[in-house]
Amino acid sequence: MATNSSAKKPFNLAIVGGGISGLTLAITLLQNDVDLTIYEAAPHFGEIGAGVALGPNAGRAMEMMSPKIYDAFMKCKTGNQWDSKHNSWFTIRVGDARRADKNGFVRAGKKVGDELFDVQLTGGGGRGGVYRAQFLDELVKHVPEGVAKFDKRLVDLKDAEDGSGDMVLHFADGSTAQHNAVIGCDGIKSKARTWLLGNENPAAHAFFSGKYAYRGLIPMEEAVEILGEEVAKNSQLFLGYHGHLLTFPIQQGKTMNVVAFNSRKSWEDEKWVVTTSKEEMRADFAEWGGHVEKIVGAMQKPDIWALFMHPPCDTYTKGRVCLLGDAAHATTPHQGAGAGMCIEDSFIMANLIKEAKSVEDVQKAFRAFNQVRHARTQKLVTTSQQAGQLYDFELYGDDLDKIEENFRDRMGWIWNIDLEEQLREAKKIFHSETAKI
Ligand code: FAD
């Protein structure tokens, strides 16, 4: 069982999983003297070498939850490199040469690869792309020695037999741990989710979204050489038939992050990340225009990431267990907001637990969290899948006017959320539940 002599709260928590969710939650809870242990399946904390874009909502959440987390983000974040593009989320272009008419135009005066319009960021707050591994390293610095236990892969949860109402975590190595309550931050293949929703429940398991992605990093110097400065140094989104490609700068503008998406009906491989050949990757974008062909041609590691997502579920909490982050609402990445939602979750959860004075209160915190976070996070899962279809000419076909109109209202509800108001609402639910007892 976790012990921490400075703990002031009369309960201890298990956080399962030390990704962006688990770490942002743990750092904020530790600031409030909550006794906790992180159980991580891997032998150490680690993130993949790729970029992740965090929007204004995530920036504001980090600023409010912990100076440590916000500083880590500010240290790592990179925005568009041109002042004139400072407020642009992405510059939208057609990338697919098949969209052009016989004279090469996709719209009056616009050819394949030309700028069509910018999607303007709203909502203030810090935002930008971070190199995942660097951001995680910065976060890990704020997790004191001994708080995390590694090589602890959760396989099951059971009620304690000692009548305490505690949960017992069972790990793949045969060991167990008992805690007053558990927060499952164990990602898209969450075992906490399987326990909470039931293994037979289809909602417990992720399904293939119909999209897959290649991820790559290109040194900025090389990117500028092949694409020109404006395209390389600022965020771009190239639209096409059943695929799209996006880029954004990371690592203080030294690197261009690339994600190239394509479609297929099903995913049979047990593994969700598989290596293919450069030829196959290039064949996927063979009919696209100059920019996209050049970017794909410069990508070195042709790994395919199958994009899975969770079906809707009724609840994120049961008894002394709650799901948070991807474990609760794994989404496709098409609105660049999955990790941002995880951080928002951590902000709300940590502040609710801060109010708790007993383990019964922790359960109330879980229920209040579920009530305020469920609709918003489920909406992200649905709209994100639609966004993929929009970019891939599957929602309005290749009608660029309708696509532009749809972009205008697509992201505001994500970026402009009043998180303080949501927290007030959550606390109100928490305290009214407290009053009922
Ligand atoms: P994870 O990052 O999956 O972490 C889960 C942790 O739990 C891991 O450390 C894992 O080892 C551990 N774990 C797993 N199972 C167990 C177990 N049984 N026992 C113990 N530990 C366990 N989001 C954005 O906001 N912006 C983007 O630009 C963006 N781009 C993306 C691009 C792609 C291609 C993909 C696939 C996703 C993208 N996302 C993006 C989404 C984002 O990556 C996720 O929402 C976020 O990383 C989830 O964090 P998490 O901590 O909840 O889960």
Side-chain angles (χ1 to χ4, degrees):
M1 188 171 309
T3 53
N4 177 349
S5 56
S6 73
K8 294 187 181 78
K9 298 277 187 192
F11 51 80
N12 61 66
L13 303 179
I15 294 179
V16 185
I20 289 175
S21 296
L23 288 177
T24 52
L25 178 67
I27 293 166
T28 316
L29 286 174
L30 288 168
Q31 280 174 186
N32 297 317
D33 284 336
V34 175
D35 181 6
L36 63 89
T37 305
I38 301 172
Y39 295 98
E40 168 55 52
H44 49 75
F45 290 124
E47 260 286 4
I48 54 161
V52 60
L54 295 170
N57 53 315
R60 288 198 309 278
M62 286 186 267
E63 196 169 3
M64 287 189 283
M65 65 206 278
S66 158
K68 292 174 183 166
I69 295 171
Y70 191 60
D71 290 350
F73 170 59
M74 293 307 276
K75 200 165 161 187
C76 302
K77 87 171 179 89
T78 304
N80 282 342
Q81 302 291 287
W82 282 19
D83 284 349
S84 59
K85 292 285 182 184
H86 184 69
N87 264 327
S88 167
W89 180 50
F90 281 106
T91 299
I92 310 298
R93 303 165 192 265
V94 170
D96 193 327
R98 290 168 291 186
R99 175 61 181 77
D101 64 20
K102 61 182 187 320
N103 299 314
F105 289 98
V106 296
R107 225 184 203 187
K110 303 282 184 186
K111 293 198 159 176
V112 174
D114 286 352
E115 173 174 340
L116 298 181
F117 56 92
D118 278 308
V119 180
Q120 294 295 328
L121 277 157
T122 55
R127 68 269 174 138
V130 298
Y131 184 60
R132 282 172 175 267
Q134 186 195 0
F135 182 49
L136 206 87
D137 283 350
E138 289 298 328
L139 291 179
V140 167
K141 286 180 189 165
H142 303 295
V143 179
E145 198 70 37
V147 167
K149 301 211 181 311
F150 298 101
D151 286 316
K152 292 291 173 194
R153 177 171 295 281
L154 182 78
V155 288
D156 201 4
L157 285 165
K158 290 193 175 135
D159 294 325
E161 287 174 4
D162 59 8
S164 60
D166 288 355
M167 296 306 301
V168 178
L169 297 90
H170 291 252
F171 300 105
D173 64 2
S175 63
T176 59
Q178 185 167 337
H179 285 265
N180 297 139
V182 178
I183 304 177
C185 300
D186 46 343
I188 190 166
K189 293 181 181 172
S190 170
K191 282 283 183 256
R193 182 183 181 93
T194 313
W195 175 85
L196 199 144
L197 298 175
N199 194 30
E200 304 307 315
N201 182 348
H205 308 286
F207 66 94
F208 180 56
S209 70
K211 306 286 173 194
Y212 61 93
Y214 301 95
R215 298 168 118 171
L217 302 172
I218 301 177
M220 189 55 82
E221 270 179 28
E222 186 185 342
V224 168
E225 214 168 279
I226 59 174
L227 302 170
E229 201 169 329
E230 179 179 355
V231 173
K233 292 193 167 181
N234 302 297
S235 308
Q236 313 294 334
L237 177 43
F238 296 93
L239 311 174
Y241 294 97
H242 309 298
H244 65 279
L245 183 146
L246 60 84
T247 69
F248 55 87
I250 55 168
Q251 295 181 308
Q252 282 66 49
K254 290 191 203 90
T255 307
M256 187 177 86
N257 181 65
V258 184
V259 196
F261 298 86
N262 223 304
S263 307
R264 69 167 64 156
K265 283 202 172 61
S266 60
W267 187 266
E268 309 303 340
D269 206 307
E270 220 174 82
K271 290 193 204 136
W272 293 2
V273 184
V274 296
T275 302
T276 179
S277 64
K278 280 192 191 180
E279 289 68 35
E280 262 186 67
M281 176 169 67
R282 284 172 195 169
D284 260 355
F285 295 92
E287 292 173 279
W288 289 57
H291 287 116
V292 170
E293 277 186 349
K294 284 180 199 159
I295 296 167
V296 172
M299 284 165 70
Q300 290 306 315
K301 251 183 103 222
D303 284 345
I304 293 183
W305 295 67
L307 300 176
F308 279 67
M309 59 187 276
H310 279 152
C313 67
D314 294 337
T315 183
Y316 297 158
T317 189
K318 186 168 99 180
R320 300 254 189 114
V321 180
C322 194
L323 306 174
L324 185 147
D326 269 20
H329 42 73
T331 169
T332 52
H334 306 306
Q335 290 176 141
M341 284 293 166
C342 297
I343 293 169
E344 284 186 17
D345 277 0
S346 292
F347 166 69
I348 299 287
M349 179 67 93
N351 277 289
L352 283 170
I353 290 176
K354 195 174 159 186
E355 302 283 303
K357 294 189 176 68
S358 63
V359 67
E360 289 72 29
D361 278 358
V362 173
Q363 279 180 252
K364 286 172 199 152
F366 287 174
R367 292 200 291 268
F369 171 87
N370 181 56
Q371 278 193 49
V372 298
R373 296 300 296 162
H374 189 270
R376 175 169 169 80
T377 49
Q378 291 290 310
K379 182 175 173 182
L380 178 73
V381 181
T382 311
T383 59
S384 179
Q385 191 181 27
Q386 285 163 358
Q389 292 160 351
L390 177 76
Y391 313 157
D392 292 359
F393 294 160
E394 293 165 353
L395 201 59
Y396 298 115
D398 58 8
D399 185 329
L400 298 177
D401 292 337
K402 282 199 179 142
I403 291 172
E404 181 168 356
E405 198 186 319
N406 187 279
F407 262 114
R408 229 177 281 140
D409 297 325
R410 175 154 288 282
M411 298 299 295
W413 71 273
I414 298 174
W415 296 333
N416 301 335
I417 170 104
D418 183 346
L419 285 167
E420 282 169 300
E421 175 52 32
Q422 189 169 84
L423 180 58
R424 270 195 295 277
E425 193 192 327
K427 282 185 183 172
K428 208 166 124 194
I429 296 167
F430 172 85
H431 286 295
S432 64
E433 281 220 7
T434 305
K436 266 189 240 155
I437 298 290

